[in-house]
Amino acid sequence: MLAYLLNLATLICINAILAVTLNFILGYAGIFSLAHAIFFGIGAYVAAYMGLTWGSSLLAVLPVAMAVAGALSLVLALPALRVRGEYFVAASLGLQMLGLTVFAEWKSVTGGNSGLSAIPPARLFQQELDGPYEALGLAAGCLLAIVAVTSVLLKTSFGRNLRAVRDSESAACACGKNVAAIKTLSVVVSSALAAVAGVLYAFYLSFINVESFTLDTSVQLMAMIIIGGVGTVLGPIVGAVLLMVLPSLFSYLPFLPQTEVGSIQQIVYGLAMVLLMIYRPGGIAGVARQGVK
Amino acid sequence: MTTRSILRAIACAATALACLSAQAQDIRIGANFPLSGPQGSYGDVFMTGSNLAVDHINADKMLPGKLSIVYEDSQGTPQRGVIGMNKLVNVDKVPYVLSSFTGVLKATAPIAARSKTPILNGSGVAPELAEQGPFFWNVLPLISFDVKAMLPYLIKERKAKRFVLIYVDETVGQAVLKEMESTLPAAGGELVAALSIPASLQQFSGIAAKVREARPDAIYIASWGAQQVQIVKQLRDNGVTQQLASFSTFVLPELEALPESKGALYTTQHVNWDSPDPVTRRFVESFRAKYPGKQPTIYAANFYNSVRLFALLSVELQKKGKPITGENLLAQRLETKAFDMVGGRIVFQDNGTVAAPMQVNEYDGKSTRVIAVLPVQ
């Protein structure tokens, strides 16, 4: 039982990192991106490639993965962020398709549809982090660090600029803010931090393929932050916990036929999203925040 | 809620717990199938076979207690597959897990190795599934068996000498290419062209032109799903009249109903649904009775065989007085090697793959017929 809980907790931490980093652009800059899974994938493929080729030292892999994801997001975001609102959603959908095709077709690096196997566990100061406790500790540590980094960033003038852009691009522009630069920088930060989740995922699972980085993953991350609470610190974490734990909880309900758990889970997600949007648009953490006057 | 009703609920719970402990002899195995999401329908197909096997094993009282399957929903994705596998192994403590989908299989293979719990693959044919360790078993022949069966048949029976391969450039396609390159010269054939295609390609007029230029006697197609339908249709529309051949992914209702596929050949593991063999006959009759209106499929047979294999190994372990653990099941499988299953006798090789008789099937534009049965390679 303990091994199962440790595994679930580790994956929750990895998904929470992704949700927190997506929340950074969606919740604070109002940038609806459907391509977040691609930057998760870039981190994972960089880690897998480096791990299989040179070694799995986190001190080497993490900066490289973050730099690659950040640089690629910069290249992709510069033209895409010149469009607003729903147009960027469409542009990010294009990025998602493009990225997934590259993952599937660049076989010499990504292994194509078959993926990459036997990825070694992460190493830190010559110590292999291959046990369940070490993996959870690493994932939880990274989650805390990323929450801290994003929280600090949001308290700076950069954070205030993000909110200004979210609330009214035209007003921010009229105040002399370089809206395109602010949005682009926020996407770069978010993508680079999402790559951290990819690195952890590749080293933890020791196998990756394109199936983990599809549009479904991007949509699920969006669901996490909408259910948890957009634009809150705790929201994405609450959402990640809920969406990862719910399916497992359903499988313990004796009155549910086991073979229908998956379908019931999908219905519950859908219902939760609809009801939250109607009655609590701020999400669960948003509700908690509203409750404290 | 009153105190009395709370006490009544506690009493009911206590009774249920007592019943559970009385069933300590019961045996559970796991299944990590896609039960929801885009691949959910596959899980339904797999379960028809696995549940039928459980019915038969319990009816025959093969095991000391009642056998049941704990199902987990992998959704066909590696992440959910890992969560499901971890639950089956660490919480439900099952000694044996049925699984499917290459991504899920490869992501969960390390867990199987760590926990010494055999994983049974009943659907994937990718060649790398033969290299996932001793606790990873395949109850169906992998892709190389299809190619090894089809090529000699085409050379001897259809007098084909010159071959063209159209293949999706990933592991299965690459395995077919490698197999053709190594098998054809010795068998008296020649690979005159190997044309790789992306998995998403839907326009094949250019490919058809290259095929015509190569003047082959037969064209081998290594693709899957809707793309196969387009390849067959467009090759014929573009004047390619030579023999078409493929492997088990060619089992598609759309191809069966396609007039252009008339005469196309493909291999599958051999299962004669009308066989007098008692295991096969019982499976087919029970399947049709339990699932009216449905026809048995190769996937249902594979997962029936997977559960049946567990029961056969467990019976042997009981005779020796050994507990049913993953390690003991592996040791017994290595010792027994051959098993009577749906479709005939299958022989396990040391690397966890099976050698089974293959059959060549032909589409006649409306349905499929078996035209040759080939012995175990």
Side-chain angles (χ1 to χ4, degrees):
Chain A
M1 185 65 167
L2 185 62
Y4 168 65
L5 291 174
L6 289 169
N7 165 253
L8 195 58
T10 306
L11 287 169
I12 286 171
C13 287
I14 291 170
N15 278 276
I17 290 171
L18 289 168
V20 166
T21 53
L22 180 60
N23 186 50
F24 184 75
I25 53 173
L26 196 154
Y28 297 101
I31 299 168
F32 281 80
S33 171
L34 286 172
H36 209 60
I38 293 302
F39 302 108
F40 173 42
I42 289 167
Y45 280 115
V46 167
Y49 189 77
M50 287 181 73
L52 291 166
T53 313
W54 295 296
S56 55
S57 167
L58 280 173
L59 298 178
V61 174
L62 273 176
V64 174
M66 289 170 75
V68 172
L72 282 173
S73 74
L74 184 67
V75 170
L76 299 170
L78 275 173
L81 282 167
R82 298 204 168 275
V83 295
R84 289 189 187 196
E86 65 271 31
Y87 300 105
F88 181 77
V89 175
S92 69
L93 189 59
L95 295 186
Q96 172 71 41
M97 303 284 188
L98 181 71
L100 205 65
T101 306
V102 172
F103 290 163
E105 297 299 330
W106 196 8
K107 294 174 190 71
S108 57
V109 172
T110 65
N113 290 316
S114 303
L116 299 168
S117 301
I119 303 163
R123 292 178 71 84
L124 190 62
F125 306 121
Q126 304 307 312
Q127 186 68 42
E128 241 178 32
L129 306 174
D130 58 347
Y133 290 100
E134 290 92 334
L136 177 58
L138 177 65
C142 287
L143 173 61
L144 288 173
I146 283 168
V147 169
V149 167
T150 51
S151 300
V152 167
L153 273 175
L154 291 166
K155 284 185 168 57
T156 62
S157 61
F158 176 65
R160 287 190 293 278
N161 286 338
L162 281 183
R163 289 189 188 87
V165 168
R166 178 192 63 190
D167 295 340
S168 172
E169 264 191 50
S170 306
C173 209
C175 292
K177 302 292 178 193
N178 187 340
V179 171
I182 292 165
K183 283 164 77 176
T184 304
L185 188 59
S186 68
V187 169
V188 170
V189 169
S190 165
S191 304
L193 294 175
V196 174
V199 171
L200 298 176
Y201 185 75
F203 286 148
Y204 180 61
L205 246 63
S206 85
F207 164 78
I208 54 165
N209 72 347
V210 292
E211 289 165 1
S212 298
F213 315 114
T214 59
L215 180 63
D216 286 351
T217 307
S218 291
V219 171
Q220 193 185 34
L221 293 173
M222 204 162 271
M224 283 175 187
I225 60 178
I226 290 169
I227 288 173
V230 179
T232 62
V233 175
L234 270 182
I237 300 169
V238 170
V241 171
L242 266 181
L243 262 67
M244 295 294 291
V245 167
L246 266 184
S248 310
L249 281 180
F250 286 148
S251 65
Y252 280 103
L253 297 176
F255 54 86
L256 285 181
Q258 275 188 307
T259 52
E260 301 304 326
V261 162
S263 314
I264 290 162
Q265 170 199 320
Q266 304 291 334
I267 291 166
V268 169
Y269 286 171
L271 266 178
M273 295 271 278
V274 170
L275 294 173
L276 275 168
M277 288 306 95
I278 294 170
Y279 298 106
R280 292 281 185 267
I284 293 167
V287 171
R289 193 180 49 176
Q290 286 161 6
V292 182
K293 297 286 180 192
Chain B
M1 193 181 254
T2 62
T3 309
R4 185 173 294 178
S5 58
I6 291 171
L7 287 171
R8 196 176 294 153
I10 291 168
C12 286
T15 310
L17 280 172
C19 290
L20 280 173
S21 60
Q23 293 170 344
Q25 284 296 300
D26 291 352
I27 298 165
R28 298 190 306 170
I29 59 174
N32 201 13
F33 289 161
L35 303 174
S36 66
Q39 317 296 353
S41 56
Y42 280 100
D44 296 339
V45 173
F46 301 158
M47 282 192 296
T48 56
S50 56
N51 288 337
L52 188 60
V54 168
D55 292 349
H56 286 176
I57 289 157
N58 287 335
D60 296 349
K61 296 194 165 49
M62 284 174 79
L63 302 172
K66 192 165 170 259
L67 177 68
S68 62
I69 300 179
V70 181
Y71 284 102
E72 281 296 319
D73 182 11
S74 71
Q75 294 178 10
T77 64
Q79 183 170 264
R80 285 256 59 112
V82 164
I83 292 171
M85 182 71 182
N86 260 296
K87 180 172 176 285
L88 290 169
V89 166
N90 295 312
V91 180
D92 300 311
K93 308 275 186 196
V94 298
Y96 190 86
V97 175
L98 318 178
S99 192
S100 63
F101 279 73
T102 304
V104 175
L105 289 163
K106 287 169 79 175
T108 53
I111 302 168
R114 270 199 306 270
S115 61
K116 296 185 167 55
T117 307
I119 281 185
L120 271 286
N121 162 36
S123 67
V125 294
E128 67 263 32
L129 296 177
E131 300 154 8
Q132 302 297 316
F135 288 95
F136 192 99
W137 308 354
N138 302 281
V139 293
L140 73 170
L142 300 181
I143 182 65
S144 59
F145 284 89
D146 286 88
V147 183
K148 278 179 178 148
M150 180 61 93
L151 295 183
Y153 173 82
L154 288 171
I155 290 167
K156 281 180 194 160
E157 304 298 326
R158 302 289 168 123
K159 309 301 176 207
K161 290 276 186 288
R162 294 167 59 82
F163 289 79
V164 163
L165 169 64
I166 300 171
Y167 69 106
V168 175
D169 190 13
E170 49 67 73
T171 49
V172 172
Q174 286 157 5
V176 173
L177 173 63
K178 196 173 157 188
E179 199 65 54
M180 286 181 88
E181 283 173 336
S182 62
T183 305
L184 276 174
E190 181 192 359
L191 183 63
V192 292
L195 309 170
S196 80
I197 53 172
S200 55
L201 189 69
Q202 292 295 316
Q203 293 298 322
F204 298 98
S205 47
I207 294 288
K210 286 180 183 169
V211 171
R212 282 202 310 271
E213 192 183 335
R215 292 179 294 104
D217 302 317
I219 300 115
Y220 196 98
I221 299 165
S223 166
W224 56 83
Q227 190 182 52
Q228 294 174 124
V229 181
Q230 290 302 324
I231 293 173
V232 171
K233 185 162 184 0
Q234 291 179 42
L235 284 178
R236 293 297 188 229
D237 288 349
N238 283 277
V240 176
T241 56
Q242 291 95 327
Q243 178 67 61
L244 300 179
S246 189
F247 59 100
S248 53
T249 57
F250 231 56
V251 183
L252 268 184
E254 294 87 341
L255 276 169
E256 203 165 36
L258 188 75
E260 287 83 356
S261 70
K262 189 174 180 178
L265 305 175
Y266 64 94
T267 43
T268 55
Q269 62 198 100
H270 175 55
V271 179
N272 175 10
W273 302 121
D274 301 320
S275 166
D277 153 54
V279 179
T280 307
R281 197 174 67 231
R282 186 187 188 193
F283 167 77
V284 173
E285 286 171 1
S286 302
F287 189 97
R288 286 175 180 154
K290 186 172 172 132
Y291 308 107
K294 282 187 182 175
Q295 288 304 313
T297 63
I298 200 73
Y299 290 136
N302 285 340
F303 284 108
Y304 179 96
N305 286 343
S306 300
V307 180
R308 179 175 161 78
L309 174 64
F310 171 78
L312 293 172
L313 294 171
S314 299
V315 166
E316 293 303 314
L317 290 176
Q318 283 172 69
K319 284 179 190 167
K320 294 177 180 174
K322 288 184 176 177
I324 300 170
T325 63
E327 278 178 291
N328 288 343
L329 288 165
L330 173 62
Q332 190 58 51
R333 195 214 78 199
L334 291 168
E335 188 183 314
T336 310
K337 281 195 164 61
F339 302 87
D340 289 325
M341 296 288 191
V342 173
R345 196 163 177 78
I346 66 168
V347 182
F348 268 97
Q349 298 173 69
D350 287 347
N351 67 352
T353 61
V354 298
M358 304 294 288
Q359 66 188 39
V360 180
N361 311 277
E362 184 176 35
Y363 281 126
D364 61 10
K366 291 179 195 160
S367 62
T368 311
R369 62 193 184 100
V370 180
I371 57 169
V373 178
L374 309 168
V376 176
Q377 298 293 308

